[in-house]
Amino acid sequence: MILVLAMYISLLSFAVSKFAGKKRHRWIHSGYMTVFLLPFLVYAIFLGIIAPIVQAGIGVSFFGIIFAIATLVTGFVFLYVGYTSKNIRED
């Protein structure tokens, strides 16, 4: 499961870095979307789709929380990069 979590975070980071590029406002917007939207969506997907398939509600809920927290932390990293990086230009 740790490998799946690592792949998820790396794909999310790769997608945001390709989308945002060197534009500061895109990093900030990506961070806000990742912090305030994606954790709830990830948790809902775990509970609504994966839990009925594997029929293990408590286990899926635990891993849904883990993935949601990892998404939240990644979003805060995106915000940090957007607000503090000197190499990213202001547009």
Side-chain angles (χ1 to χ4, degrees):
M1 195 52 130
I2 300 238
L3 184 61
V4 174
L5 181 63
M7 289 290 292
Y8 166 71
I9 296 300
S10 64
L11 284 173
L12 180 64
S13 299
F14 177 75
V16 168
S17 69
K18 287 299 175 189
F19 167 73
K22 296 243 181 219
K23 297 188 181 204
R24 179 179 223 163
H25 64 90
R26 286 188 181 177
W27 277 99
I28 294 170
H29 292 305
S30 297
Y32 281 128
M33 293 291 276
T34 306
V35 167
F36 294 117
L37 180 67
L38 278 182
F40 300 112
L41 185 64
V42 166
Y43 190 66
I45 287 172
F46 267 83
L47 287 182
I49 296 174
I50 298 175
I53 292 173
V54 297
Q55 307 240 335
I58 293 173
V60 171
S61 175
F62 173 74
F63 283 109
I65 286 287
I66 296 295
F67 272 71
I69 290 171
T71 305
L72 185 78
V73 169
T74 305
F76 282 126
V77 170
F78 296 156
L79 283 173
Y80 179 77
V81 167
Y83 280 121
T84 62
S85 182
K86 303 290 185 212
N87 296 348
I88 299 175
R89 61 188 157 114
E90 186 90 27
D91 276 338

